[in-house]
Amino acid sequence: MVIVATGGEELKPDEYLYGKNERVMTQLEFEEHLVEEPQFSAAQKTVVMIQCVGSRNEERPYCSRVCCSTAVKNALRLKAKNPDAQVIVLYRDIRTYGLMEPYYREAREKGVVFVRYEPEDKPKVEERDGKLAIEFFEPTVRRRVTIYPDTLVLSSATIPRENEELALMLKVPRMADGFFLEAHIKLRPVDFATDGIYVCGLAHSPKNITESVAQAAAAAARAGTVLANDTISVGGVVAVVDEEKCAACLTCVRACPYSVPVINERGKAEIDPVKCHGCGVCAAECPGKAIQLQYFRDVQVLAKCDALYGKEEVAA
Amino acid sequence: MSEDDFEPKIVAFCCHYCAYTAADLAGSMRLQYPPNIRIIRLPCTGKVDVLHLLRAFEDGADGVYVAGCMEGDCHFINGNFRAKKRVQYAKKLLDEIGFGGERLEMFNMSAAMGTRFAEVAKEMVERIKKLGPSPIRGGKTKKDGDAL
Amino acid sequence: MIVGERKPMEEIEAMIEPFDKIIVLGCRECVTVCSAGGEKEVGILSAALRLSRKQNGREIEIKEFSLERQCDHEYIEQIRSMVPNYQAILSMACGAGVQFVAESYPEIPVLPAINTTFIGVTEEQGYWTERCQACGNCILHLTGGICPIARCSKSLLNGPCGGSSDGKCEVNKEIVCGWQLIIDRLKSLGQLERYEEYIPIKDWSTSRDGGPRKVVREDLRL
Amino acid sequence: MKSASRLEKVLESGQFAVTSECGPPRGADAEVIRKKGEILRDVVDAVNVTDNQTSVVRMSSVASCFILKGMGLDPVLQMVTRDRNRIAIQSDILGAAALGVNNILCLSGDHQVFGDHPKAKNVYDMDSIQLVHSVKTMRDEGKFIEGEEIKPPPKLFIGAACNPFADPFEIRVPRLAKKVAAGVDFIQTQCIYNLDKFEEWMKGVRDRGLHEKVYILAGVTPMKSVGMAKYMKNMVPGMDVPDEVIERLKGVDKEKRAEEGIKICIETIQRLKEIEGVSGVHIMAIEWEEKVEEIVKGAGLYPRPQV
């Protein structure tokens, strides 16, 4: 039983002067300043936040989901400590989804300014005379505006942890962006296609804590359905040998990736159904057609072929 | 029959763990791909039998392909490699009888490659459209000297 | 075991050209083990033949059937009732099986679908090599257990020819020099001096050169 | 004397023997053989006639030997076991002896895949050592292989080939011992370019006293070009051509390379003469018979003794 819960990380951006100017920071870093440094909030006259940094672009087409809510939360926290601070959020779409919409409204009521930008015309950040200058297009007044904030906060993308090796080890699939892929988006949301391996949290996709907890509970429950039993029933997809036809040629013994088939005391191939993984390699290789994979027997596969083109008669 | 109004019938033998899931994903992603593809699910492409490939053609398929996991990623260690070799063998056999081995192909994709699944489907439909109907459905055989 | 391989499709197709109803007859012994003529190969060959015929607009009816062995009368009898309904039997057995089926059914052509290649072993899955030429007079005790008749391209009995280099045969670099193997084996047995024992000119009368051979065990005959 | 062979007489008299060879033509013209015989007359003691060498069909060795014999030369009948069974071989031996051929060289022969009839069935009823044994039995015991009496038996001086450079090297001396035990009278070796390796082999031969039981004629072949040297090195099985030989040929102008090849050959012979146990040389000037005289003279082996 394996639950893949590798978590995720905040992307360290390589744009908007991040790492080059100490006034530029990520939301997590900003939050730390707010909490750990009592004077920090008071010193902030103007704060600009840029959303969708590293998300929803060509490299990472996905929405990182937590950044809008985090930006609103941090803006409100600053406002609570320093009501005079001016907060401007440059966004593409505000996605304070679920029950977080009221915070968005509250922020607007408290004077946080939300300004939309287009991905083709992203805000420009540069240093001018030792100050941080942010230039952007303000759509309501239809003018380019430059602001000199005390702090620029980047709502940076959520990225998966380095998990390629683990994926190869468990032989479970990942999306192109590196998040693990469940067996089925709707029908098997915390399972992998491989039995006994489950996924939850940021390993699977960006999500907030409530969602992570819910998914973790789901994964634990799925694992529990197996662990709670004294015995397990294995799937019926196993290879069976027709001893009459078996020439004891050893092809299956050599072909099986799990070394399951053996030649028994009757001189025939024998496949232990509990050990069989059901891949069907032996059935395909058997030169005597003595092995059939249950649920994928030749007649069944061929019946599907026949049925596809309207043939009713099934050749055995 | 012109290339335009010929709608090929294509059978895709898909591995449960990757190509079949990729097909599912292609659906969830609302990706469009030609409706000519008929999928037969197998636990692993290692279950693909040369006989099944030939029988699909006998049943009237204009093209057949096998879609397995990325090389090195087979859920059952190396089933996709075996499938690749069998496809090569069957292609040679189809060439030998003048049917044309290019009507059969092997592809590799991961479960996350919904887009690739749709692409492969398109690619195969285009290829078979160019080749025309199966020789047993009135198409030309390679022995007629009309090789593409 | 006897190792064989399927004949080229073109040759088989030419052979069955006059017929529209045939039996493709597999054998569950050696040729199954070496994947030349077992039930699976019967299925593949039959499908390929049907496909080939269909594309040329002339269908062929094929009965696919496999016998336990084609080298025993009793098994061959199993197809007696179906034979009259067909025009030819395409046997996927070794040459012995093809002939024995033919002897049982003189009224119908029995055709070979595989080339019987040699008596050999499975080196690994899908890879078979020759070991014995059935000369009828085994000398393996003299040559370190490696047969110079089967494994030397010239069947030399007293040592390698001058063409052996780097352990490979002069015929082709992919062939291991049989005598190199014998010398290596004698060395590992600490019996290299046995190489100098002269092996006299061989009595080939026990081989095919003595005419078709037979083995009779009077004590076993009914 | 075992035979009326001139070669045998030269060797028996303790003199350094010289043999050469000629390949029969791929046609029915006896003149070709006569011309080659004329070139070699008085230059060497005996002339080998190859037997469908490299498995390419040529005029019969027995017939070619007969033509040379008629010219007063002493031919060595090469006989491979590839193409004839024991019936044909014994028959040809009787025929050759009746035509006055006094020498036979027993060989297994190149495999037929190298020749112009690669689809042929080979025979190999016996190997070269068994052939040596059979000829000796025929000559000394007057018996056919199956024991029937021969009246009269063929009197042949029996030779065999030896390749000191083939693998596995450790049985190269034992293999000679086996041939000696089977009854061989003289040995002609594969072309020698790697003298160090040859000397190592000869030492092994002397250690077992084999040089006292058999005459060893060391084989040499003059190189015509760098291309030939490379071909022999890379393409001819069991041939050992050291790089320095190729380098030496490369070191001279293209038009002088053939001359250099002759020079190397002469130097090789001079060194071979000094090796204890070497009783003569066998000069295989492949389709270059006209140069044999130059080589023999250059090596100080002319004139040939009158025996």
Side-chain angles (χ1 to χ4, degrees):
Chain A
M1 214 53 51
V2 176
I3 294 178
V4 177
T6 49
E9 285 168 14
E10 186 188 47
L11 173 75
K12 298 294 174 202
D14 54 3
E15 54 184 337
Y16 300 126
L17 298 182
Y18 180 82
K20 292 177 184 133
N21 186 312
E22 59 178 17
R23 291 167 189 268
V24 183
M25 58 189 74
T26 65
Q27 285 289 1
L28 278 182
E29 290 159 358
F30 180 61
E31 193 172 341
E32 204 177 312
H33 283 296
L34 288 179
V35 175
E36 304 290 336
E37 294 171 39
Q39 327 78 322
F40 180 78
S41 307
Q44 303 296 313
K45 288 196 186 75
T46 310
V47 171
V48 172
M49 295 182 179
I50 302 178
Q51 301 301 104
C52 293
V53 176
S55 294
R56 302 177 69 206
N57 57 13
E58 226 164 77
E59 195 187 342
R60 282 175 222 90
Y62 59 87
C63 166
S64 292
R65 290 173 69 96
V66 294
C67 356
C68 286
S69 314
T70 307
V72 167
K73 179 191 75 181
N74 286 344
L76 285 173
R77 181 170 288 180
L78 176 63
K79 279 284 191 186
K81 292 189 174 181
N82 176 6
D84 296 333
Q86 167 93 39
V87 182
I88 300 163
V89 180
L90 305 177
Y91 72 98
R92 282 173 58 193
D93 299 287
I94 287 294
R95 293 182 173 178
T96 45
Y97 62 97
L99 300 177
M100 287 173 293
E101 197 71 6
Y103 297 108
Y104 175 42
R105 196 182 322 121
E106 186 188 338
R108 288 164 65 180
E109 283 164 6
K110 295 224 165 113
V112 176
V113 178
F114 288 87
V115 180
R116 185 183 171 94
Y117 74 89
E118 295 294 330
E120 299 78 41
D121 185 19
K122 296 204 295 189
K124 287 188 183 61
V125 177
E126 53 190 20
E127 281 180 40
R128 287 184 202 164
D129 312 325
K131 286 182 189 167
L132 200 56
I134 298 167
E135 184 192 321
F136 56 91
F137 180 73
E138 214 301 329
T140 44
V141 297
R142 295 178 174 275
R143 283 168 70 171
R144 296 199 80 79
V145 177
T146 302
I147 287 180
Y148 300 89
D150 300 300
T151 300
L152 170 62
V153 188
L154 304 178
S155 293
S156 186
T158 306
I159 56 168
R161 288 230 165 81
E162 189 47 60
N163 54 19
E164 190 180 345
E165 204 181 330
L166 180 70
L168 283 175
M169 201 193 299
L170 297 175
K171 292 206 183 291
V172 290
R174 295 183 310 155
M175 298 290 283
D177 46 42
F179 292 106
F180 286 99
L181 179 74
E182 70 276 36
H184 192 282
I185 294 175
K186 292 171 182 163
L187 305 178
R188 296 176 71 194
V190 296
D191 292 29
F192 281 111
T194 309
D195 290 337
I197 307 181
Y198 307 94
V199 65
C200 64
L202 294 195
H204 167 258
S205 67
K207 53 177 69 73
N208 62 37
I209 288 172
T210 322
E211 288 168 331
S212 285
V213 169
Q215 202 182 13
R222 288 288 296 145
T225 57
V226 179
L227 294 174
N229 290 318
D230 293 334
T231 57
I232 56 164
S233 314
V234 292
V237 184
V238 290
V240 293
V241 180
D242 177 353
E243 290 199 354
E244 282 274 289
K245 287 186 170 183
C246 176
C249 67
L250 294 162
T251 301
C252 54
V253 174
R254 298 184 190 118
C256 177
Y258 307 100
S259 308
V260 176
V262 291
I263 302 298
N264 64 20
E265 65 279 8
R266 291 181 297 280
K268 301 291 178 185
E270 186 170 306
I271 295 171
D272 183 338
V274 178
K275 290 184 192 156
C276 176
H277 288 53
C279 67
V281 162
C282 57
E285 296 272 337
C286 176
K289 281 267 162 238
I291 305 180
Q292 293 290 344
L293 183 68
Q294 297 292 54
Y295 294 89
F296 294 94
R297 287 180 293 136
D298 281 322
V299 284
Q300 291 172 302
V301 174
L302 293 174
K304 280 187 187 172
C305 285
D306 293 342
L308 289 177
Y309 300 120
K311 260 208 204 169
E312 284 175 15
E313 183 194 336
V314 174
Chain B
M1 210 186 287
S2 83
E3 211 177 281
D4 293 333
D5 48 80
F6 160 55
E7 283 302 335
K9 296 176 169 184
I10 295 172
V11 178
F13 288 95
C14 291
C15 151
H16 169 76
Y17 290 89
C18 41
Y20 194 76
T21 312
D24 230 347
L25 186 63
S28 321
M29 289 166 82
R30 304 283 187 271
L31 294 172
Q32 292 290 325
Y33 61 88
N36 310 62
I37 312 297
R38 301 285 187 274
I39 294 176
I40 294 181
R41 182 176 69 100
L42 295 174
C44 172
T45 50
K47 174 71 178 72
V48 164
D49 194 320
V50 175
L51 183 61
H52 299 165
L53 302 174
L54 297 179
R55 289 288 289 268
F57 282 116
E58 262 196 84
D59 283 332
D62 302 298
V64 174
Y65 67 92
V66 177
C69 301
M70 299 301 285
E71 293 190 352
D73 280 355
C74 174
H75 178 74
F76 297 110
I77 300 172
N78 59 4
N80 51 353
F81 277 109
R82 290 178 178 279
K84 184 177 165 186
K85 288 187 171 178
R86 292 184 205 135
V87 167
Q88 280 164 355
Y89 179 82
K91 278 168 87 84
K92 193 170 154 273
L93 196 57
L94 291 170
D95 278 334
E96 269 189 78
I97 61 169
F99 194 91
E102 63 275 33
R103 290 183 181 274
L104 173 64
E105 205 48 79
M106 169 94 196
F107 295 98
N108 299 90
M109 63 188 74
S110 81
M113 294 182 171
T115 322
R116 178 72 186 138
F117 182 86
E119 269 170 25
V120 162
K122 280 179 209 155
E123 207 177 301
M124 202 60 192
V125 169
E126 271 162 36
R127 181 196 289 197
I128 303 301
K129 275 194 174 179
K130 278 200 193 116
L131 291 168
S134 154
I136 68 163
R137 299 211 298 140
K140 287 178 175 135
T141 73
K142 293 287 222 164
K143 280 179 184 162
D144 298 338
D146 200 34
L148 283 155
Chain C
M1 85 183 130
I2 293 168
V3 178
E5 58 183 339
R6 198 199 66 229
K7 279 178 174 288
M9 287 304 294
E10 207 175 347
E11 197 183 337
I12 298 176
E13 288 181 83
M15 229 185 268
I16 61 160
E17 207 282 326
F19 311 113
D20 297 315
K21 283 179 82 173
I22 65 167
I23 300 173
V24 173
L25 194 61
C27 177
R28 296 214 179 109
E29 285 286 340
C30 314
V31 291
T32 292
V33 178
C34 69
S35 286
E39 190 162 329
K40 181 185 169 75
E41 292 299 317
V42 166
I44 291 171
L45 176 62
S46 303
L49 289 174
R50 279 193 301 266
L51 205 51
S52 176
R53 275 293 183 85
K54 234 186 206 174
Q55 65 178 349
N56 296 314
R58 181 179 157 208
E59 300 213 6
I60 185 165
E61 186 189 324
I62 297 178
K63 173 73 183 173
E64 299 173 29
F65 204 78
S66 291
L67 299 179
E68 192 57 41
R69 276 198 289 282
Q70 292 191 23
C71 47
D72 274 307
H73 277 306
E74 291 83 348
Y75 294 121
I76 294 172
E77 279 309 305
Q78 290 172 357
I79 57 166
R80 183 151 309 274
S81 62
M82 66 177 85
V83 168
N85 303 322
Y86 293 89
Q87 299 163 328
I89 297 172
L90 183 58
S91 164
M92 296 197 88
C94 67
V98 178
Q99 293 180 63
F100 219 31
V101 171
E103 283 168 38
S104 296
Y105 303 104
E107 68 281 12
I108 185 170
V110 180
L111 312 165
I114 72 175
N115 289 325
T116 307
T117 325
F118 50 77
I119 299 175
V121 298
T122 313
E123 295 255 5
E124 56 187 70
Q125 189 58 29
Y127 177 32
W128 298 274
T129 53
E130 180 163 21
R131 285 294 184 281
C132 176
Q133 291 209 330
C135 74
N137 186 5
C138 195
I139 54 159
L140 285 170
H141 55 299
L142 302 176
T143 54
I146 291 154
C147 178
I149 294 162
R151 305 191 70 185
C152 164
S153 299
K154 300 177 185 171
S155 298
L156 304 180
L157 295 178
N158 282 290
C161 71
S164 169
S165 61
D166 299 327
K168 297 291 162 23
C169 173
E170 70 172 26
V171 167
N172 144 4
K173 289 273 168 250
E174 284 175 18
I175 301 172
V176 179
C177 170
W179 270 100
Q180 177 78 49
L181 295 175
I182 295 171
I183 302 300
D184 291 347
R185 179 102 172 115
L186 287 175
K187 240 196 293 184
S188 69
L189 292 171
Q191 298 178 355
L192 194 54
E193 74 287 351
R194 292 205 69 177
Y195 167 71
E196 289 195 39
E197 286 172 24
Y198 172 70
I199 297 181
I201 189 165
K202 187 173 171 66
D203 174 1
W204 292 104
S205 67
T206 57
S207 185
R208 192 214 49 86
D209 307 87
R213 291 167 281 179
K214 61 182 175 189
V215 172
V216 182
R217 276 279 299 271
E218 281 302 340
D219 56 323
L220 297 179
R221 299 188 79 182
L222 298 173
Chain D
M1 281 295 175
K2 294 163 179 164
S3 68
S5 160
R6 187 200 300 169
L7 176 61
E8 185 183 1
K9 284 182 194 130
V10 172
L11 289 167
E12 278 292 305
S13 67
Q15 300 179 79
F16 199 77
V18 180
T19 57
S20 186
E21 68 174 31
C22 84
R26 305 203 65 207
D29 186 2
E31 266 318 297
V32 181
I33 291 286
R34 287 199 190 99
K35 267 187 198 154
K36 290 187 178 183
E38 213 47 64
I39 292 169
L40 297 170
R41 182 197 291 281
D42 299 332
V43 173
V44 296
D45 304 316
V47 177
N48 284 36
V49 180
T50 55
D51 181 9
N52 297 304
Q53 66 188 85
T54 62
S55 303
V56 171
V57 177
R58 290 170 187 276
M59 186 189 286
S60 128
S61 176
V62 175
S64 306
C65 283
F66 177 63
I67 294 167
L68 292 179
K69 184 72 190 177
M71 297 170 66
L73 277 74
D74 188 30
V76 179
L77 173 72
Q78 293 199 182
M79 170 83 67
V80 300
T81 62
R82 174 191 64 226
D83 306 324
R84 306 165 181 84
N85 67 9
R86 63 191 76 179
I87 299 169
I89 285 174
Q90 294 179 100
S91 154
D92 279 354
I93 287 170
L94 295 183
L99 292 171
V101 176
N102 298 316
N103 310 291
I104 184 169
L105 188 77
C106 304
L107 305 162
S108 58
D110 293 315
H111 195 273
Q112 72 274 12
V113 292
F114 296 106
D116 57 349
H117 288 68
K119 294 175 185 169
K121 183 182 195 303
N122 63 33
V123 180
Y124 291 117
D125 186 11
M126 61 178 98
D127 61 29
S128 57
I129 297 181
Q130 290 162 343
L131 177 56
V132 167
H133 187 263
S134 302
V135 181
K136 183 169 164 71
T137 310
M138 289 171 83
R139 179 188 71 194
D140 295 351
E141 295 174 29
K143 283 179 178 164
F144 288 114
I145 291 169
E146 294 294 338
E148 293 287 310
E149 200 183 333
I150 308 174
K151 286 186 269 185
K155 293 297 178 190
L156 293 169
F157 191 48
I158 306 168
C162 229
N163 184 357
F165 309 106
D167 293 320
F169 187 69
E170 64 262 48
I171 59 130
R172 286 295 134 195
V173 174
R175 185 156 168 76
L176 176 64
K178 221 169 163 176
K179 288 188 176 178
V180 170
V184 76
D185 301 313
F186 71 98
I187 290 290
Q188 289 172 326
T189 76
Q190 174 68 288
C191 325
I192 299 157
Y193 296 103
N194 186 343
L195 274 154
D196 296 341
K197 199 162 180 187
F198 178 71
E199 284 184 349
E200 186 188 341
W201 178 75
M202 275 306 296
K203 186 178 179 301
V205 171
R206 287 194 302 271
D207 288 349
R208 293 190 55 168
L210 296 173
H211 64 303
E212 284 159 4
K213 297 178 184 160
V214 66
Y215 298 112
I216 294 169
L217 277 65
V220 290
T221 291
M223 298 281 198
K224 283 183 193 172
S225 62
V226 174
M228 175 179 172
K230 283 186 177 165
Y231 178 82
M232 303 239 317
K233 179 183 175 76
N234 300 321
M235 307 303 286
V236 181
M239 190 73 78
D240 186 342
V241 183
D243 287 332
E244 56 252 40
V245 174
I246 296 172
E247 289 309 313
R248 185 167 161 190
L249 283 175
K250 274 187 186 166
V252 299
D253 290 342
K254 207 166 184 185
E255 59 276 12
K256 290 195 171 159
R257 281 179 185 159
E259 205 180 295
E260 190 69 15
I262 303 276
K263 240 188 195 165
I264 295 173
C265 186
I266 291 169
E267 288 167 23
T268 306
I269 294 173
Q270 284 165 339
R271 203 169 143 190
L272 289 168
K273 275 160 74 180
E274 303 306 315
I275 300 173
E276 189 194 346
V278 174
S279 305
V281 285
H282 177 52
I283 303 165
M284 292 165 274
I286 302 157
E287 293 304 314
W288 214 19
E289 289 85 356
E290 66 272 20
K291 291 289 176 187
V292 174
E293 184 174 352
E294 186 184 334
I295 295 168
V296 173
K297 286 180 174 165
L301 296 170
Y302 192 83
R304 299 308 310 145
Q306 298 299 313
V307 288

